[in-house]
């Protein structure tokens, strides 16, 4: 049942993937409002949705032109309560850089630039966690800012295989080169040297991290979603046990199936980090439980709600109601904590069950499916467009082919 709040609400959402659809679905379910997608190439799930409108922008649009576009949208919808949302590091950084101009006309559930600089740099994140006694992977930094023929890579003080990734998302996201991966799993010193050469040829000029590999398959991962209100209080938090992640090169690490579950110790650590740093807005944490000793290892915090945000709504705690109460209605709310167990899955049941190796966990997942507690953000009963729904069903089946190519069987190392 949509809330009576803010009948003139207009969410404006940057991007066009399934995460954007999930954001819009939560708004529509909470408030009955339409949403405006601002994207160069939105998915069919959005373009043929019955509650999305689309404002097309050119690919590679400049900061100045995107800002002008968003201000023009605000002017054209004067009198409505505008909320700007996004679900990509490039867009989060854009909003932070233009926060003052955008905040005049939009509610912005995002942290300020200095907080993004402090926490979303994975090296800075590790330093902030260390001050609070929160575990992160051991890491070394390779700085390409002044790369030349005299550049030397850092010594790696831990055993291979290792994990390599950009310290900050935006500089790497802007880079395009053949063979690019979101995360690199490196088996040897020779492979790492090849990566350094590849990054140099591509013109990478920021910091790349090499981290110890934390063992365990995808089911060792945890996802945490939180909202910090304008008073600095964490008014929403929830989490899920990941069952399966995407393994396509540019999407690896994104969960495609999860079970909601409360993890109070992880919540406490996340809340301490957010409140001590002066964070505001939505945040999404990636955490892995080390099977060797049971410790929780925090990988990163994303300055946005996260691609799989709709799992919170499916479990009965809609993040948009908490945020709108804070930034649009300017009222305090009691902190919300997720408690309902559901299965959030974007892949066919047979594929998911194939990758769950623990018998008791597989049986539990089957029980949730039989009980009607399996939810897919794109399979929305209010959507009646046949072409849209057929496309989504076919895309879901295509996961069989993708996993056969990139991750044919579950491993103890997740790759």
């Amino acid at each position: 049942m949509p809330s009576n709040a803010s009948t003139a609400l207009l969410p404006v959402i940057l991007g066009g993937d399934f995460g954007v659809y999930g954001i819009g679905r939560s708004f529509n379910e909470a408030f009955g409002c339409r949403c405006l997608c601002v994207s160069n190439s939105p998915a069919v799930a959005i373009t043929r949705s019955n509650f999305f409108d689309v404002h097309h922008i050119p690919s590679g649009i400049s900061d100045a032109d995107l800002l002008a576009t968003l201000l023009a949208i605000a002017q054209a919808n004067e009198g409505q309560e505008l909320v700007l949302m996004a679900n990509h590091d490039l867009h989060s950084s854009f909003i932070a850089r233009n926060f003052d101009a955008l905040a005049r006309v939009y509610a912005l559930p995002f942290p300020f630039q200095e907080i993004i600089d402090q926490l979303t740099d994975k090296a800075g994140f590790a330093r902030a966690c260390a001050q609070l006694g929160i575990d992160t992977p051991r890491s070394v930094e390779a700085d390409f800012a002044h790369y030349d023929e005299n550049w030397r890579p850092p010594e790696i003080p831990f055993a291979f295989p290792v994990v390599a990734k950009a310290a900050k998302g935006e500089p790497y996201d802007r880079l395009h080169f053949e063979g690019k991966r979101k995360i690199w799993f490196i088996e040897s010193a020779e492979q790492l040297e090849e990566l350094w050469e590849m990054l140099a040829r591509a013109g990478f000029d920021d910091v790349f991290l090499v981290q110890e590999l934390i063992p365990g398959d995808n089911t060792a991962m945890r996802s945490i979603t939180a909202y910090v209100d304008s008073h600095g209080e964490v008014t929403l938090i929830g989490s899920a046990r990941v069952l399966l992640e995407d393994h396509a090169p540019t999407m690896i690490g994104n969960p495609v199936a999860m079970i909601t579950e409360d993890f109070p110790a992880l919540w406490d650590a996340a809340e301490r980090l957010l409140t001590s740093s002066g964070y505001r807005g939505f945040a999404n944490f990636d955490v892995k439980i080390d099977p060797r000793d049971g410790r929780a290892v925090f990988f990163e915090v994303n300055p946005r709600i996260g691609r799989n945000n709709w799992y919170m709504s499916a479990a009965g705690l809609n993040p948009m109601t908490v945020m709108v109460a804070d930034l649009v209605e300017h009222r305090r709310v009691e902190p919300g904590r997720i408690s309902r167990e559901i299965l959030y899955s974007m892949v066919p049941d047979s594929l998911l069950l194939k990758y769950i190796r623990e018998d008791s966990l597989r049986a539990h997942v089957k029980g949730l499916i039989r009980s009607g507690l399996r939810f897919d953000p794109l399979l929305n009963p209010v959507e009646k467009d046949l072409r849209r729904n057929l496309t989504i069903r076919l895309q879901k089946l295509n996961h069989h082919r993708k996993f056969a190519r990139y991750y044919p069987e579950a491993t103890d190392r997740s790759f």
Side-chain angles (χ1 to χ4, degrees):
M1 177 69 69
S3 163
N4 291 326
S6 211
T7 55
L9 185 69
L10 177 61
V12 178
I13 312 174
L14 293 173
D17 64 6
F18 74 81
V20 167
Y21 182 83
I23 292 171
R25 180 171 177 175
S26 288
F27 272 113
N28 181 256
E29 289 173 341
F31 304 107
C33 61
R34 296 189 65 79
C35 301
L36 180 62
C37 166
V38 179
S39 173
N40 67 300
S41 183
V44 170
I46 292 172
T47 59
R48 301 191 73 88
S49 169
N50 70 359
F51 57 82
F52 261 104
D53 299 306
V54 176
H55 184 103
H56 288 277
I57 56 174
S59 177
I61 188 171
S62 68
D63 262 27
D65 287 345
L66 181 54
L67 177 60
T69 296
L70 292 172
L71 294 179
I73 289 171
Q75 186 174 21
N77 292 279
E78 190 174 1
Q80 291 190 272
E81 297 284 1
L82 303 176
V83 179
L84 184 61
M85 295 290 295
N87 209 26
H88 194 287
D89 287 339
L90 290 174
H91 293 144
S92 300
S93 296
F94 161 81
I95 291 169
R97 287 193 300 271
N98 297 279
F99 201 96
D100 290 343
L102 291 167
R104 297 189 185 103
V105 287
Y106 288 97
L108 302 175
F110 294 89
F112 298 121
Q113 183 71 61
E114 57 267 30
I115 303 301
I116 288 182
D117 291 342
Q118 175 188 346
L119 292 184
T120 63
D121 177 335
K122 295 176 181 64
F125 175 76
R127 290 189 288 270
C129 286
Q131 293 175 357
L132 297 171
I134 299 171
D135 287 330
T136 59
R138 289 182 296 160
S139 304
V140 294
E141 301 177 24
D143 191 346
F144 284 77
H146 303 290
Y147 183 90
D148 58 24
E149 67 275 7
N150 297 316
W151 186 88
R152 294 294 180 268
E155 293 292 327
I156 309 302
F158 30 83
F160 288 87
V162 297
V163 177
K165 62 181 73 170
K168 291 178 283 190
E170 185 185 12
Y172 189 62
D173 288 342
R174 292 190 181 279
L175 211 60
H176 299 283
F177 59 91
E178 187 176 352
K180 181 180 179 182
R181 294 175 175 269
K182 180 182 175 184
I183 300 171
W184 297 81
F185 296 99
I186 306 295
E187 297 279 6
S188 66
E190 291 74 22
Q191 282 190 4
L192 186 58
E193 180 61 32
E194 291 173 2
L195 174 60
W196 298 148
E197 294 173 358
M198 185 182 299
L199 291 171
R201 287 195 302 271
F204 182 70
D205 61 0
D206 207 81
V207 175
F208 227 74
L209 295 183
V210 180
Q211 296 180 331
E212 64 171 325
L213 174 69
I214 306 299
D217 67 14
N218 291 168
T219 63
M221 291 298 299
R222 307 289 184 264
S223 183
I224 304 171
T225 302
Y227 179 76
V228 186
D229 73 6
S230 53
H231 305 277
E233 182 180 9
V234 178
T235 51
L236 172 141
I237 197 162
S239 51
R241 176 192 300 266
V242 175
L243 300 175
L244 185 62
E245 295 178 336
D246 201 324
H247 285 263
T250 59
M251 300 291 287
I252 192 165
N254 293 325
V256 294
M258 307 187 292
I259 294 178
T260 53
E261 186 175 341
D262 57 336
F263 296 106
L266 303 187
W267 293 357
D268 175 71
E271 289 192 35
R272 286 190 287 118
L273 185 64
L274 293 172
T275 55
S276 66
S277 64
Y279 197 99
R280 298 291 186 273
F282 286 114
N284 176 243
F285 291 85
D286 294 330
V287 186
K288 191 168 190 178
I289 306 302
D290 190 331
R292 297 170 296 189
D293 52 19
R295 69 190 176 111
V297 182
F298 277 65
F299 284 177
E300 63 182 344
V301 60
N302 297 301
R304 46 190 168 81
I305 193 171
R307 189 181 297 264
N308 290 286
N309 58 84
W310 188 75
Y311 83 88
M312 297 282 289
S313 295
L317 186 58
N318 191 316
M320 305 312 158
T321 60
V322 176
M323 180 272 292
V324 168
D326 176 37
L327 297 183
V328 177
E329 299 168 352
H330 306 293
R331 59 183 178 86
R332 305 292 291 267
V333 297
E334 288 295 318
R337 303 291 183 262
I338 201 168
S339 59
R340 183 187 182 212
E341 184 183 49
I342 60 102
L343 169 61
Y344 170 102
S345 178
M346 301 189 68
V347 298
D349 295 341
S350 59
L351 179 66
L352 172 59
L353 292 169
K354 170 188 171 182
Y355 285 91
I356 300 176
R357 299 186 294 173
E358 183 183 325
D359 290 342
S360 60
L361 182 57
R362 189 187 308 109
H364 187 59
V365 169
K366 288 181 177 179
L368 290 171
I369 294 170
R370 285 195 300 269
S371 300
L373 294 174
R374 183 243 293 109
F375 298 91
D376 183 324
L378 301 182
L379 298 180
N380 186 344
V382 307
E383 302 285 14
K384 306 301 183 184
D385 185 274
L386 292 178
R387 178 178 164 188
R388 175 197 181 276
N389 294 339
L390 177 60
T391 300
I392 288 168
R393 297 280 184 181
L394 292 174
Q395 289 171 341
K396 189 164 185 168
L397 289 174
N398 190 48
H399 281 292
H400 284 288
R401 183 187 61 82
K402 284 178 58 180
F403 275 87
R405 179 179 181 184
Y406 295 116
Y407 192 54
E409 60 182 21
T411 71
D412 290 332
R413 303 188 303 181
S414 293
F415 72 95

